[in-house]
Amino acid sequence: MHGTKILDEADRLMTVCNSCRYCEGLCAVFPAMEMRRAFSDGDLNYLANLCHACGACYVDCQFSPPHEFNVNVPKTLAIARADSYAAYAWPRAFAGLFARNGLAISLIAAISVAAFIFGFAAVNDHAVLYGIHTGPGAFYALMPHNAMALLFGAAFLYVILALAMSLRAFWRDIGEPVGMKADAPSLWQAIRDAGELRYLDGGGVGCFNDDDQPTDRRRLYHHFTLYGFLLCFAATCVGTLYHYLLGREAPYAWWDLPVVLGTLGGIGLFVGPIGLLAAKRQRDAVLVDETRTGMDTAFTVMLLLTGVTGLAVLLWRDTNAMGPLLALHLGFVFALFITLPYGKFVHGLYRFAALVRYARERRMMAGGVAE
Ligand code: SF4
Ligand code: SF4
């Protein structure tokens, strides 16, 4: 017996699949499964986070419905995966809240912070909010840099702590009983696999949709989203270094590194999430659990709105729309930040940890690393 019914079902399916092994070439899930004869809760959460829900094993399976074995690996692992976000979340009390109302809470948080900044500036000096500000330090006419740094610095530290605690719990649960140390070659292999989204291709043909025509679109849009997010994060880091090390205040010229990185990242966060939302609508309903797609959608929508408002600030920063647009953008960035540990974002961390474990297991099987 496992901790939840869905893990019981995942155990049943993995036992069937372990006898069959027809799908072992499709992705990392089946080879990882074949290294086990029994499955703990942690093992099943590990397998669930290795799965990309491409749908290939459902389409290929001779035991999928209406067969009495009722094998549906993508859907079962998708539910287990969504449950794993809450199972390892820190603090636990927040996990269910976001699972049920992710988009509403994210939007309320974004609009509340934007309204606070908007009100703060309006009460201070109405003319500042709608004035035209240009040159170094223009953004800080709306909100002093120290206040901005305090607000976002506190949120950042909280998010890092919450993510680190969640990842630690996941890592311990999927590891060996005495804990598991990552080795450099396994880490490097996992970085390469995650960077290429290697297993998000249905064994080479792409993801399956409602029209039975596999495509690689989900992988493409995941790439736009992943690298868009990383570029925006890099832009923020470079801007922080400019401010504190070089004494150069934002906004910067369009050709300066933080703006180039932010613009490319913003385009990624525009194209990627729109593509993912469109791809989600085309997914075969049999592969997904509609009741648990809210968290995915919330994260994707928040990424999109963060990218769109960031690009809007860039385009209209020399006009009197800059104040309201910047307030809105900061609201979405803040809300995206504080919801990161409780939604789809953690899947990226758990998948990476699972890929490290998978690479390590493969090396152990090949005799390249000691137990
Ligand atoms: S999904 Fe079906 S075909 Fe694939 S390994 Fe499992 S039982 Fe076999
Ligand atoms: S849905 Fe795709 S990634 Fe998930 S287990 Fe099946 S083949 Fe592997």
Side-chain angles (χ1 to χ4, degrees):
M1 284 287 285
H2 291 279
T4 62
K5 283 202 171 91
I6 198 67
L7 291 180
D8 285 339
E9 173 64 1
D11 191 326
R12 181 185 77 84
L13 296 193
M14 290 299 100
T15 305
V16 173
C17 292
N18 229 348
S19 306
C20 167
R21 300 193 170 188
Y22 180 75
C23 297
E24 63 184 0
L26 290 179
C27 66
V29 172
F30 296 97
M33 169 201 78
E34 289 174 13
M35 293 181 214
R36 294 162 169 78
R37 293 292 172 270
F39 304 95
S40 67
D41 284 11
D43 289 331
L44 295 167
N45 284 327
Y46 161 57
L47 297 175
N49 279 279
L50 276 179
C51 172
H52 277 288
C54 69
C57 61
Y58 181 83
V59 174
D60 288 359
C61 184
Q62 59 271 41
F63 304 121
S64 58
H67 192 281
E68 61 182 323
F69 284 6
N70 193 28
V71 172
N72 187 339
V73 175
K75 183 169 182 174
T76 303
L77 293 189
I79 299 172
R81 191 164 57 248
D83 284 357
S84 75
Y85 308 158
Y88 301 109
W90 184 93
R92 289 289 296 275
F94 288 176
L97 195 69
F98 283 84
R100 286 189 297 275
N101 315 297
L103 184 57
I105 290 177
S106 303
L107 289 175
I108 289 168
I111 290 166
S112 303
V113 174
F116 171 76
I117 297 172
F118 199 85
F120 180 84
V123 168
N124 253 355
D125 184 351
H126 196 262
V128 166
L129 185 60
Y130 295 109
I132 296 177
H133 310 281
T134 56
F139 290 156
Y140 311 126
L142 185 76
M143 188 180 194
H145 179 267
N146 286 346
M148 218 184 267
L150 189 68
L151 182 68
F152 285 88
F156 182 74
L157 289 179
Y158 171 76
V159 167
I160 293 293
L161 175 67
L163 289 175
M165 295 298 286
S166 305
L167 184 59
R168 180 170 170 265
F170 178 75
W171 182 251
R172 283 191 164 178
D173 207 27
I174 68 166
E176 305 299 324
V178 289
M180 188 181 76
K181 302 271 184 296
D183 55 284
S186 302
L187 264 177
W188 177 237
Q189 183 64 50
I191 289 170
R192 285 175 49 192
D193 291 346
E196 296 171 13
L197 297 172
R198 180 172 170 191
Y199 299 108
L200 186 54
D201 66 353
V205 294
C207 290
F208 286 81
N209 297 308
D210 53 4
D211 57 1
D212 275 346
Q213 293 294 318
T215 70
D216 227 6
R217 284 194 302 256
R218 280 180 76 225
R219 191 181 191 193
L220 174 73
Y221 293 128
H222 265 91
H223 269 124
F224 268 106
T225 307
L226 171 66
Y227 290 107
F229 183 85
L230 292 178
L231 284 167
C232 287
F233 186 67
T236 307
C237 293
V238 174
T240 305
L241 291 177
Y242 271 25
H243 187 93
Y244 288 109
L245 288 186
L246 306 181
R248 293 183 55 198
E249 293 191 323
Y252 307 106
W254 65 267
W255 45 262
D256 220 332
L257 190 56
V259 181
V260 173
L261 292 172
T263 305
L264 292 175
I267 292 170
L269 288 187
F270 180 68
V271 175
I274 284 185
L276 286 177
L277 289 170
K280 191 182 281 290
R281 291 170 64 89
Q282 292 169 342
R283 298 236 72 198
D284 191 336
V286 80
L287 300 175
V288 294
D289 177 42
E290 295 292 349
T291 62
R292 283 175 172 78
T293 53
M295 250 191 322
D296 293 14
T297 305
F299 181 55
T300 312
V301 169
M302 290 305 290
L303 285 172
L304 174 63
L305 293 174
T306 301
V308 167
T309 54
L311 289 174
V313 170
L314 183 70
L315 282 174
W316 288 292
R317 63 185 180 173
D318 292 335
T319 72
N320 56 8
M322 187 270 273
L325 285 175
L326 183 60
L328 203 56
H329 179 57
L330 292 177
F332 278 109
V333 172
F334 187 85
L336 177 68
F337 249 43
I338 59 165
T339 53
L340 286 183
Y342 308 105
K344 184 70 187 275
F345 179 80
V346 292
H347 170 49
L349 291 186
Y350 295 172
R351 181 184 300 285
F352 182 73
L355 285 170
V356 174
R357 174 153 172 67
Y358 179 64
R360 182 176 156 83
E361 285 185 330
R362 302 261 301 191
R363 281 168 48 76
M364 275 164 39
M365 290 289 286
V369 63
E371 184 92 35

